[in-house]
């Protein structure tokens, strides 16, 4: 009964702490709101990522102001929208972007450049641009920026949130320590064990009594501790999933928690490939164990096919989310999406596995170090097919002629590349999707329209990118092979992970020439370029190495809290998409332009999903397809 009480008490304790911490998070957001983020201190006209620029014209002639973001590679200058000047005064107001440093260009009416300034504006700031003549020599114009009001550090809410999570961590650690301390334990057991009447009332209402729950919990707890499954894989998957949920919910409105506009990486761009990677790892582990149990390959194939179809259909259901508001019509249904891509990737990689894998016997020779490459060489037909797929991606991307666009175009279109190819967003990848699926059946708001002002629809989960997502899963599958092949040889496994990480890193460095935009093939989430796959698998192998070391080798960390969502990933993914707009995942904000409030909302929503996953884990409810 002692341990039953303990688990039961710790469950209640956890609820208490979570409730408390959510309250803490919300109230600290209020604090953060007052720290420079409040509407009273910033101009009411400003949205997130904006600042006020007052333009003082002292040269008394008309000029135009253009701007360009540093992030925008080879972009055209855009007209800065300037409010009409008030009569009698030469001061005008403009709103400037604060995500990246920008260049302002001033041209006179005959389009001769007067001056340019490069400046990093701070969010919600108030600045003045003084345009003066310098009559000392020739008639030069000088431009200078002066700070009227600096709102300070607007990333302050992130710091507070970090403190709140550290506080929660400390409370949980101290709490679980206290629960094991016998005086507290005994007291709690007395408090929690219900009286007879209590139990009767509960059973009358049809709910199991708390005592039942306690003993049931204890029972479950004993048989979940069987150390079969690798906890590090679920932890890794859960980590990727929770970042994905946080990012999909808005990432606090910070640009660095949102997807990169075109080339490059932000936090948001890391997680989907990691998810694909770990899926590959799991495919090898599960198919290998099922084959060893004597399942026939055909039977497994039907199972795999059925799972893929289910995943694809769930994906269509999840991304066409207007099912509640209006009837779903074929004319604008989106076909590809995250789950659809996972489904196709899963199908192809599993079939590759079923065709070529040889289940390893349980008793392998203990010392397998001399066969340095055997886990790769043994499966050469798989590698041939993967290389063929990659060759297909490269050929289609670089050689497919796209009407009115340069062949092999990898850019964003829009105002990029000096506006020469506005409708070429994504080159061949975009063209294939528009041709095969149709403009109305692909994603309409690609992240490239934020900075590059693209207008054509482009699907970041399109057809061509799926080839590379298969490659990504296949690289993840190598991690699975390493885990099975060198079972229980921790050092070997970690050396192999590290080697893979280095190899992928070197390939990425060559492909990208270590630059964001100027490499042979830049890292790009929208295209799922091959350098994106190699870079992200370099990170993935390294991260897996660390998590494996902490969770499965040394057991310093149990993988909480990421472990729980990782065990129930489909449920959490589908759930977070379907209930996105409902309380408690979303509520009406007092001030929709405050990072503090966005961050609170998104973190609360993400934390609630962790909590839901934890409860379901405790109740042994898993959505498997
Ligand atoms: C910006 O600051 C100037 C000078 O301090 C002030 O006159 C102006 O009202 C401010 N503008 C806005 C939009 O806050
Ligand atoms: C623009 O600047 C150039 C160079 O200073 C000058 O020659 C030209 O007359 C200016 N145009 C106007 C409309 O002021
Ligand atoms: C401003 O003038 C420069 C040269 O004087 C020209 O190259 C540039 O295109 C002009 N900017 C815009 C946006 O027209
Ligand atoms: C005016 O121009 C001269 C020479 O170009 C320079 O030395 C001086 O600092 C400038 N004055 C101002 C106020 O910018
Ligand atoms: C790009 O597409 C838009 C809308 O479809 C069209 O108006 C425009 O002319 C196109 N631009 C080019 C350069 O083809």
């Amino acid at each position: 009964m002692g341990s039953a009480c303990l688990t039961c008490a710790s469950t209640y304790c956890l609820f208490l702490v979570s409730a408390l911490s959510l309250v803490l998070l919300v109230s600290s957001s209020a604090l953060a709101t007052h720290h420079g983020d409040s509407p009273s201190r910033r101009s009411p006209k400003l949205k997130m990522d904006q600042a006020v620029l007052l333009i003082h014209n002292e040269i008394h002639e008309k000029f135009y102001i253009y701007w360009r973001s540093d992030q925008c590679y080879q972009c055209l200058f855009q007209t800065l929208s300037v409010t009409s000047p008030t009569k009698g005064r030469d001061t005008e107001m403009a709103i400037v972007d604060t995500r990246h440093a920008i260049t302002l260009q001033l041209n006179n009416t005959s389009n001769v450049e007067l001056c340019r300034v490069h400046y990093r504006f701070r969010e919600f700031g108030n600045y003045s641009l003084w345009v003066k003549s310098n009559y000392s020599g020739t008639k030069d114009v000088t431009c200078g920026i002066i700070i009227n009001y600096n709102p300070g550090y607007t990333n302050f809410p992130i710091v507070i949130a970090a403190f709140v999570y550290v506080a929660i961590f400390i409370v949980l650690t101290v709490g679980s320590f206290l629960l094991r301390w016998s005086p507290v334990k005994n007291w709690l057991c007395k408090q929690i064990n219900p009286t007879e009447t209590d139990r009767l009332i509960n059973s009358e209402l049809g709910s199991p009594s708390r005592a039942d729950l306690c003993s049931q919990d204890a029972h479950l707890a004993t048989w979940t501790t069987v150390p079969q499954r690798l906890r590090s894989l679920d932890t890794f998957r859960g980590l990727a999933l929770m970042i994905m949920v946080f990012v999909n919910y808005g990432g606090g409105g910070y640009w660095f928690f949102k997807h990169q506009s075109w080339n490059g990486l932000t936090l948001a761009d890391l997680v989907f490939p990691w998810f694909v990677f770990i899926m590959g790892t799991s495919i090898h582990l599960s198919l290998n164990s099922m084959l060893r149990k004597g399942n026939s390959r055909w039977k497994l194939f039907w199972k795999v096919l059925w799972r893929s179809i289910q995943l694809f259909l769930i994906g269509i259901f999840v991304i066409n989310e207007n099912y509640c508001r209006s009837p779903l019509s074929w004319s604008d249904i989106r076909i590809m999406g995250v789950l659809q891509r996972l489904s196709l990737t899963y199908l192809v990689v599993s079939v590759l596995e079923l065709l070529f894998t040889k289940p390893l016997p349980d008793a392998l020779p203990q010392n397998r170090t001399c066969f340095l490459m055997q886990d790769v060489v043994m499966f050469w037909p798989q590698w041939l097919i993967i290389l063929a797929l990659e060759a297909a991606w490269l050929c289609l991307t670089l050689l497919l002629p796209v009407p009115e666009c340069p062949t092999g175009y990898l850019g964003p279109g829009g105002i990029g590349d000096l506006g020469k190819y506005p409708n070429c967003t994504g080159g061949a990848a975009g063209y294939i999707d528009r041709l095969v699926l149709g403009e109305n059946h692909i994603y309409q708001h690609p992240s490239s329209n934020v900075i590059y002002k693209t207008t054509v629809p482009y699907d970041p989960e399109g057809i061509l990118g799926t080839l590379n997502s298969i490659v990504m899963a296949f690289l993840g599958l190598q991690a699975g092979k390493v885990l099975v092949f060198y079972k229980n040889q921790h050092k070997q496994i970690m050396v192999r992970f590290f080697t893979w990480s280095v190899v992928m890193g070197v390939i990425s460095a060559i492909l990208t020439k270590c630059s964001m935009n100027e490499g042979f093939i830049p890292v790009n989430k929208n295209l799922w370029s091959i350098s994106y796959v190699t870079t992200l698998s370099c990170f993935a192998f390294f991260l897996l190495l660390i998590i494996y070391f902490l969770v499965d080798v040394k057991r310093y960390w149990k993988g909480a809290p990421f472990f729980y969502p990782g065990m129930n990933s489909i449920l959490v993914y589908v759930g977070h998409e379907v209930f996105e707009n409902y309380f408690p995942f979303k509520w009406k904000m007092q001030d929709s332009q405050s990072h503090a409030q966005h961050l609170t909302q998104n973190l609360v929503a993400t934390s609630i999903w962790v909590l839901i996953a934890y409860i379901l884990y405790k109740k042994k409810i898993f959505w498997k397809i």
Side-chain angles (χ1 to χ4, degrees):
M1 198 56 216
S3 72
C5 175
L6 187 63
T7 42
C8 192
S10 64
T11 312
Y12 282 101
C13 181
L14 185 89
F15 274 114
L16 215 70
V17 169
S18 338
L20 213 73
S21 54
L22 292 186
V23 170
L24 202 64
L25 205 58
V26 173
S27 53
S28 62
S29 118
L31 178 70
T33 307
H34 283 285
H35 185 94
D37 203 10
S38 71
S40 58
R41 292 180 67 181
R42 67 165 199 261
S43 161
K45 292 192 181 76
L46 287 183
K47 296 208 171 84
M48 283 190 281
D49 301 320
Q50 290 183 337
V52 169
L53 180 64
L54 302 172
I55 298 150
H56 305 274
N57 182 350
E58 300 228 317
I59 57 172
H60 306 294
E61 64 176 271
K62 208 172 165 209
F63 55 77
Y64 300 122
I65 307 182
Y66 303 100
W67 75 284
R68 185 178 66 191
S69 168
D70 272 11
Q71 190 71 9
C72 204
Y73 180 63
Q74 292 191 331
C75 282
L76 287 177
F77 275 94
Q78 300 292 295
T79 310
L80 191 71
S81 60
V82 177
T83 55
S84 54
T86 36
K87 275 202 186 97
R89 268 211 270 151
D90 272 340
T91 303
E92 297 162 23
M93 197 183 92
I95 305 286
V96 287
D97 183 89
T98 60
R99 278 173 292 208
H100 310 277
I102 65 173
T103 305
L104 292 173
Q105 186 188 42
L106 274 65
N107 280 9
N108 75 7
T109 41
S110 46
N111 226 2
V112 170
E113 183 175 314
L114 300 174
C115 67
R116 61 167 70 191
V117 223
H118 183 257
Y119 198 81
R120 174 79 206 265
F121 294 97
R122 297 275 153 218
E123 196 173 25
F124 305 137
N126 179 334
Y127 299 83
S128 282
L129 170 68
W130 288 92
V131 185
K132 293 180 181 169
S133 308
N134 181 350
Y135 290 103
S136 60
T138 53
K139 195 190 164 196
D140 277 338
V141 173
T142 55
C143 300
I145 295 213
I146 291 172
I147 304 170
N148 298 327
Y149 164 64
N150 186 349
Y153 190 58
T154 47
N155 298 348
F156 190 64
I158 301 178
V159 179
I160 293 190
F163 272 114
V164 170
Y165 279 103
V166 169
I168 295 171
F169 172 77
I170 292 172
V171 168
L172 279 179
T173 315
V174 172
S176 71
F177 178 76
L178 275 183
L179 279 176
R180 281 191 193 106
W181 193 43
S182 51
V184 178
K185 198 167 106 182
N186 292 340
W187 180 80
L188 270 174
C189 282
K190 276 200 199 104
Q191 299 300 311
I192 285 172
N193 274 346
T195 57
E196 194 61 28
T197 45
D198 205 3
R199 207 173 289 169
L200 278 175
I201 289 169
N202 271 327
S203 59
E204 197 108 335
L205 293 174
S207 62
S209 76
R210 277 186 281 174
D212 283 352
L213 271 180
C214 275
S215 44
Q216 192 189 348
D217 260 356
H219 172 66
L220 287 175
T222 52
W223 68 262
T224 47
T225 47
V226 185
Q228 258 308 322
R229 197 169 164 132
L230 282 168
R231 286 183 84 97
S232 50
L233 300 191
D234 292 312
T235 307
F236 186 104
R237 186 186 301 111
L239 175 67
L241 186 63
M242 286 345 284
I243 301 179
M244 208 189 250
V245 169
F246 172 65
V247 163
N248 282 353
Y249 278 164
Y254 292 103
W255 64 267
F256 43 82
F257 290 151
K258 293 183 183 165
H259 289 295
Q260 189 63 268
S261 193
W262 197 251
N263 293 336
L265 291 175
T266 62
L267 180 79
D269 299 318
L270 303 178
V271 286
F272 185 25
W274 282 353
F275 203 77
V276 171
F277 180 91
I278 210 70
M279 183 179 77
T281 312
S282 311
I283 286 175
H284 183 76
L285 295 186
S286 67
L287 286 186
N288 190 67
S289 91
M290 282 196 279
L291 281 173
R292 261 194 306 180
K293 278 183 200 151
N295 290 294
S296 82
R297 282 171 203 249
W298 270 112
K299 190 179 150 208
L300 291 181
F301 170 72
W302 290 120
K303 210 169 165 169
V304 163
L305 187 66
W306 175 229
R307 286 189 76 181
S308 311
I309 293 172
Q310 275 177 294
L311 208 54
F312 200 94
L313 293 179
I314 293 172
I316 291 195
F317 174 76
V318 164
I319 53 167
N320 294 287
E321 54 195 325
N322 55 345
Y323 38 74
C324 292
R325 278 169 246 138
S326 62
L328 198 54
S329 78
W330 170 249
S331 63
D332 57 358
I333 192 171
R334 184 179 162 204
I335 296 171
M336 292 301 284
V338 169
L339 290 179
Q340 291 90 317
R341 172 167 283 186
L342 282 177
S343 142
L344 295 176
T345 307
Y346 174 76
L347 181 65
V348 173
V349 174
S350 300
V351 167
L352 265 185
E353 245 332 71
L354 285 175
L355 282 177
F356 298 110
T357 199
K358 308 165 184 124
L360 292 171
D362 268 331
L364 274 171
Q366 263 309 301
N367 193 0
R368 273 159 265 149
T369 50
C370 49
F371 310 117
L372 213 55
M373 292 284 287
Q374 205 175 12
D375 54 331
V376 175
V377 175
M378 227 164 76
F379 301 97
W380 62 269
Q382 283 182 341
W383 279 97
L384 273 188
I385 293 178
I386 288 297
L387 289 178
L389 277 182
E390 195 43 51
W393 185 84
L394 281 171
C395 286
L396 284 173
T397 304
L398 299 178
L399 304 174
L400 184 79
V402 179
E404 289 166 38
C405 297
T407 303
Y409 184 66
L410 293 172
I415 61 170
D417 296 292
L418 302 175
K420 278 183 281 187
Y421 322 111
N423 294 347
C424 293
T425 308
Y431 176 63
I432 290 176
D433 286 340
R434 288 193 291 273
L435 200 70
V436 176
L437 303 171
E439 287 225 344
N440 295 335
H441 300 294
I442 62 181
Y443 192 54
Q444 303 291 316
H445 314 286
S447 59
S448 55
N449 68 13
V450 177
I451 284 184
Y452 290 97
K453 315 272 179 238
T454 62
T455 48
V456 284
Y458 175 82
D459 204 320
E461 273 92 39
I463 296 170
L464 202 51
T466 306
L467 293 181
N468 276 345
S469 119
I470 291 168
V471 175
M472 184 87 203
F474 188 71
L475 290 169
L477 193 117
Q478 303 312 309
K481 280 180 182 162
V482 168
L483 285 171
V484 171
F485 203 81
Y486 300 98
K487 197 171 177 185
N488 297 331
Q489 294 184 311
H490 295 317
K491 192 165 156 251
Q492 278 301 317
I493 290 177
M494 294 200 299
V495 167
R496 300 291 306 208
F497 283 173
F498 187 71
T499 314
W500 270 113
S501 176
V502 169
V503 169
M504 288 299 138
V506 169
I507 296 177
S508 315
I510 295 170
L511 283 175
T512 59
K513 295 189 199 163
C514 296
S515 99
M516 186 162 127
N517 293 305
E518 266 128 53
F520 300 108
I521 296 178
V523 171
N524 188 299
K525 152 83 167 65
N526 277 308
L527 297 170
W528 267 66
S529 59
I530 181 61
S531 51
Y532 178 65
V533 166
T534 53
T535 308
L536 269 288
S537 51
C538 163
F539 295 168
F541 274 113
F542 195 70
L543 187 63
L544 187 60
L545 166 70
I546 291 171
I547 294 180
Y548 179 73
F549 178 75
L550 292 179
V551 175
D552 282 322
V553 179
K554 292 285 176 191
R555 309 209 172 179
Y556 291 142
W557 178 35
K558 281 186 163 173
F562 305 119
F563 176 73
Y564 309 110
M567 291 281 287
N568 225 334
S569 52
I570 298 182
L571 187 135
V572 171
Y573 186 82
V574 171
H576 103 275
E577 287 271 357
V578 169
F579 296 107
E580 184 175 9
N581 293 318
Y582 297 89
F583 187 81
F585 307 110
K586 196 175 224 171
W587 59 85
K588 196 168 177 338
M589 276 176 279
Q590 277 176 313
D591 173 11
S592 66
Q593 299 306 327
S594 151
H595 281 298
Q597 298 195 5
H598 275 275
L599 191 68
T600 309
Q601 190 168 80
N602 301 154
L603 284 176
V604 166
T606 311
S607 307
I608 289 175
W609 280 112
V610 173
L611 200 63
I612 291 174
Y614 175 76
I615 296 165
L616 293 175
Y617 173 81
K618 281 284 170 202
K619 302 232 172 263
K620 287 256 140 224
I621 300 171
F622 301 108
W623 183 9
K624 295 202 180 92
I625 60 166

